[in-house]
Amino acid sequence: MTPLFWENVGIYVLFIWSLFWKGVALWRAAQLKQRNWFVVMLVLNSIGILEIIYLFRFAKKRFTFKEMKDWKNYFTTNSTDKK
């Protein structure tokens, strides 16, 4: 495999990482009606750093690791129920 292949893989991983955190943060900001945070996160691309800081520090309802674990349980139990 060429070095160019690995550079592209890194870019895709970074893109998915950023997209995940941006989606979660924008969803939370919209639900909590924090319009200013929503606009800032929508316009700025910070590779997920701003979004993570918002979720764990500045959101009216802070994001917790317990909530992330609940998501994991939700998706794993629902996917096994469908089979």
Side-chain angles (χ1 to χ4, degrees):
M1 291 188 199
T2 64
L4 183 59
F5 171 79
W6 290 111
E7 290 173 6
N8 288 338
V9 169
I11 291 171
Y12 291 132
V13 168
L14 191 61
F15 174 75
I16 291 169
W17 167 267
S18 177
L19 187 65
F20 170 78
W21 286 110
K22 186 172 287 289
V24 172
L26 288 174
W27 182 267
R28 178 67 53 104
Q31 283 184 329
L32 298 175
K33 296 180 177 31
Q34 292 182 304
R35 182 184 52 178
N36 294 340
W37 274 104
F38 184 90
V39 171
V40 167
M41 288 184 291
L42 185 64
V43 172
L44 295 180
N45 188 5
S46 63
I47 312 172
I49 296 169
L50 177 64
E51 290 82 0
I52 292 170
I53 291 170
Y54 164 75
L55 286 169
F56 288 100
R57 180 70 182 120
F58 293 106
K60 289 179 185 176
K61 180 184 172 205
R62 291 185 181 171
F63 196 65
T64 62
F65 290 109
K66 182 184 181 306
E67 189 174 356
M68 287 178 79
K69 288 179 184 177
D70 290 343
W71 284 3
K72 179 184 170 244
N73 294 337
Y74 174 77
F75 287 113
T76 56
T77 56
N78 285 345
S79 63
T80 58
D81 291 343
K82 293 177 184 177
K83 291 181 180 179

